[in-house]
Amino acid sequence: MAIMMPEADRAVLARRDEIVAALRAIVPGEGVIDSAAEMLPYESDGLMAYRQPPMVVVLPETTAQVSRVLKYCHEQGIKVVPRGSGTSLSGGALPLADGVLLGLGKFKRIRDIDFDNRVVVTEPGVTNLAISQAVAHAGFYYAPDPSSQIACSIGGNVAENSGGVHCLKYGMTTNNVLGCEIVLMTGEVLRIGGKCAENAGYDLMGLITGSEGLLGVVTEVTVRILQKPETARALMVGFAEVEAAGECVARIIGAGIIPGGMEMMDKPAIHAAEAFVHAGYPLDVEALLIIELDGPGVEVDELIGRVEAIANACGSTTCRISTSEAERNLFWAGRKAAFPAVGRISPDYLCMDGTIPRGALPKALARIRELSEKYQLGCANVFHAGDGNLHPLILYDANKPGEMERAEAFGADILRCCVELGGVLTGEHGVGIEKRDLMPEMFSEIDLNQQQRVKCAFDHLGLLNPGKVFPTLHRCAELGRMHVHGGKLAFPDLPRF
């Protein structure tokens, strides 16, 4: 493993049998897995380049059980790694050798569907797509739709602040979650937010969403549901140059048009997706835009005409407009299957996740091409073009000596490029272990220490998902102490309490 993780606590490992017995008393039956063979499926998440078997796996079914497990681990000084469906692409659920892997896969019930308030109260193990399916009969849906929505859980979406093809217009998870129940490392159960769109006090939901399992374990989520638009149609537009496609994206947004979704693929991704799904993608183009417009029928017809005119002005070579719901879904099927499709053309790949200002897209693509030549590795590019979220897929073969290391270096340089262009290290996959050591590229030591103080407020012993997000994890006492330099306090004129 190229990524360094916290050193295992030998004293905890020596008490493994005692710990397993205590956990079985809290979660009886088949709720504890401790054999090496049965724990194999839990040794990694979607970032399968890194693997580590856990000390033990616990699968609770109730909030009370989660609370008791966390309280026990807190009292015994045992690390805990929360896990949803295991689809994370940043290593956020990578286990620890001396830690308890807390799986939320049994939390699969939708507790309340409230159409009057347009919310659904769900347990975290419910899949993203299942929420939309549960309310579809009444003409509603849940807007965030990551490509893994058939498998990824809503609890994991909250942890990583997941997005999807419709996040440009309808927002990411943080814009669609109203409340949650969260269990702290001490076992204390908190309820934050609720069915009301506005809540008094600090925006704690904004803090919890995207916290990557470092602050608490989510056991219930209240999400906003929306009425399905009257009409939704998609355009599939091809370009002879990637730069022209990027210019088209900028002009559409500049014209005040906010599509329901706007995705972009380059030639390698187009060919892989078409061979996998047979969506009718043009194979003689360098870039493909899929642009969805939704709303009242008259408005959609008007916007389609405007978008088509913009695409023509940018030099589009092909333009196909969906004429049925089946055809619209087929356009999207290729894009949503791009990641597994690329798996057919390369033994392994790293799926990167960075975000740049939309106007910097041509520069980013040019830099990715340069890096591809430098590292002698292929790269297929898939983007949430509307909000600048890049997903370069770096192709490599882990069985060839040195290729994985080159792929990691290639990916790190792509993320550095995103920051240099005014963007950020992650758009929706999270930091996890993948981007952890790149955090100083974006944040100063002061910034990182302040973020860690937030973690200390929730988990002062640092037992919850350690080794993730922060390149250097300080003890909370170190972060809280008062620094004296040259015999003088900083800002001596400020009153001290």
Side-chain angles (χ1 to χ4, degrees):
M1 181 184 296
I3 298 282
M4 294 295 294
M5 295 299 288
E7 186 176 350
D9 187 330
R10 298 298 168 188
V12 169
L13 290 174
R15 294 189 289 123
R16 182 176 183 269
D17 290 345
E18 171 194 327
I19 293 167
V20 169
L23 293 172
R24 288 194 191 281
I26 298 171
V27 186
E30 298 180 346
V32 176
I33 302 172
D34 65 330
S35 74
E38 291 178 321
M39 290 193 297
L40 277 177
Y42 298 94
E43 67 178 3
S44 73
D45 55 16
L47 186 63
M48 298 181 69
Y50 308 108
R51 300 167 186 266
Q52 168 61 59
M55 178 176 67
V56 60
V57 177
V58 181
L59 305 174
E61 297 184 55
T62 67
T63 300
Q65 288 179 342
V66 172
S67 174
R68 290 178 62 195
V69 168
L70 291 180
K71 183 179 181 181
Y72 169 78
C73 291
H74 180 263
E75 292 171 347
Q76 298 296 318
I78 303 166
K79 301 163 190 169
V80 177
V81 176
R83 176 188 169 103
S85 295
T87 60
S88 168
L89 293 168
S90 63
L94 183 73
L96 296 169
D98 59 342
V100 172
L101 188 75
L102 186 69
L104 280 300
K106 291 188 176 182
F107 281 73
K108 290 186 175 181
R109 293 168 295 178
I110 291 179
R111 296 181 177 179
D112 183 26
I113 297 176
D114 185 346
F115 290 116
D116 290 338
N117 288 301
R118 298 192 176 190
V119 299
V120 168
V121 180
T122 177
E123 293 183 345
V126 173
T127 63
N128 177 289
L129 184 60
I131 297 175
S132 289
Q133 292 173 334
V135 297
H137 67 280
F140 285 81
Y141 75 112
Y142 178 59
D145 58 340
S147 295
S148 58
Q149 67 175 155
I150 192 172
C152 65
S153 63
I154 194 65
N157 289 178
V158 171
E160 306 295 348
N161 190 23
S162 302
V165 300
H166 290 103
C167 66
L168 172 62
K169 184 173 183 178
Y170 296 105
M172 303 180 72
T173 300
T174 190
N175 306 110
N176 291 275
V177 173
L178 298 174
C180 73
E181 179 183 78
I182 181 171
V183 186
L184 302 185
M185 190 64 214
T186 57
E188 182 181 358
V189 181
L190 303 180
R191 297 196 69 87
I192 300 170
K195 293 184 177 182
C196 181
E198 299 292 337
N199 291 285
Y202 292 113
D203 179 17
L204 293 178
M205 273 310 308
L207 185 64
I208 297 301
T209 307
S211 60
E212 303 197 31
L214 271 68
L215 306 183
V217 177
V218 173
T219 51
E220 180 186 282
V221 185
T222 301
V223 302
R224 185 197 317 270
I225 54 174
L226 303 176
Q227 280 190 307
K228 288 184 179 179
E230 175 188 311
T231 303
R233 297 176 67 190
L235 297 88
M236 187 165 64
V237 188
F239 294 87
E241 296 178 353
V242 173
E243 291 77 8
E247 177 65 20
C248 183
V249 170
R251 289 195 190 183
I252 289 171
I253 300 296
I257 300 170
I258 307 298
M262 184 156 53
E263 299 288 301
M264 181 175 173
M265 294 187 285
D266 69 359
K267 195 167 189 174
I270 295 166
H271 281 245
E274 177 60 19
F276 190 54
V277 174
H278 306 295
Y281 291 170
L283 299 179
D284 57 346
V285 298
E286 292 296 324
L288 184 69
L289 285 181
I290 303 175
I291 307 161
E292 181 170 297
L293 300 159
D294 59 16
V298 173
E299 178 185 357
V300 170
D301 290 342
E302 167 68 19
L303 291 177
I304 284 177
R306 291 176 61 189
V307 168
E308 188 175 14
I310 291 171
N312 289 335
C314 291
S316 63
T317 57
T318 64
C319 183
R320 181 175 159 193
I321 303 169
S322 67
T323 57
S324 66
E325 183 67 4
E327 189 174 29
R328 182 185 73 86
N329 288 332
L330 187 60
F331 287 3
W332 284 118
R335 162 60 189 91
K336 290 215 165 193
F339 291 2
V342 169
R344 302 177 72 197
I345 64 173
S346 177
D348 303 280
Y349 68 81
L350 285 180
C351 175
M352 305 308 297
D353 164 54
T355 301
I356 58 170
R358 281 186 294 267
L361 184 58
K363 290 182 180 179
L365 291 172
R367 180 63 177 147
I368 290 171
R369 283 196 293 269
E370 292 172 4
L371 291 170
S372 180
E373 294 176 6
K374 173 184 176 180
Y375 289 104
Q376 292 296 294
L377 293 173
C379 185
N381 289 289
V382 181
F383 316 125
H384 299 314
D387 61 357
N389 189 191
L390 314 182
H391 292 313
L393 308 178
I394 300 171
L395 315 181
Y396 73 100
D397 187 346
N399 293 317
K400 294 182 179 179
E403 282 212 1
M404 180 177 171
E405 290 74 15
R406 297 209 315 272
E408 289 178 312
F410 186 176
D413 279 350
I414 290 175
L415 295 175
R416 291 189 184 98
C417 174
C418 289
V419 174
E420 290 168 6
L421 292 173
V424 296
L425 291 171
T426 180
E428 57 173 336
H429 292 176
V431 175
I433 60 167
E434 178 198 37
K435 308 178 186 76
R436 180 195 66 189
D437 296 333
L438 290 170
M439 288 286 274
E441 300 286 338
M442 184 173 173
F443 297 106
S444 70
E445 184 179 0
I446 294 173
D447 295 328
L448 291 171
N449 287 347
Q450 191 65 13
Q451 291 179 40
Q452 288 191 50
R453 288 186 179 96
V454 174
K455 175 171 175 56
C456 289
F458 285 80
D459 174 26
H460 70 282
L461 296 181
L463 296 174
L464 199 54
N465 216 10
K468 317 290 172 61
V469 179
F470 300 115
T472 303
L473 188 60
H474 298 288
R475 294 182 182 273
C476 294
E478 295 172 337
L479 292 168
R481 68 190 177 193
M482 188 176 295
H483 294 274
V484 178
H485 178 69
K488 295 181 180 180
L489 290 172
F491 308 108
D493 296 333
L494 292 179
R496 309 286 176 177
F497 298 97

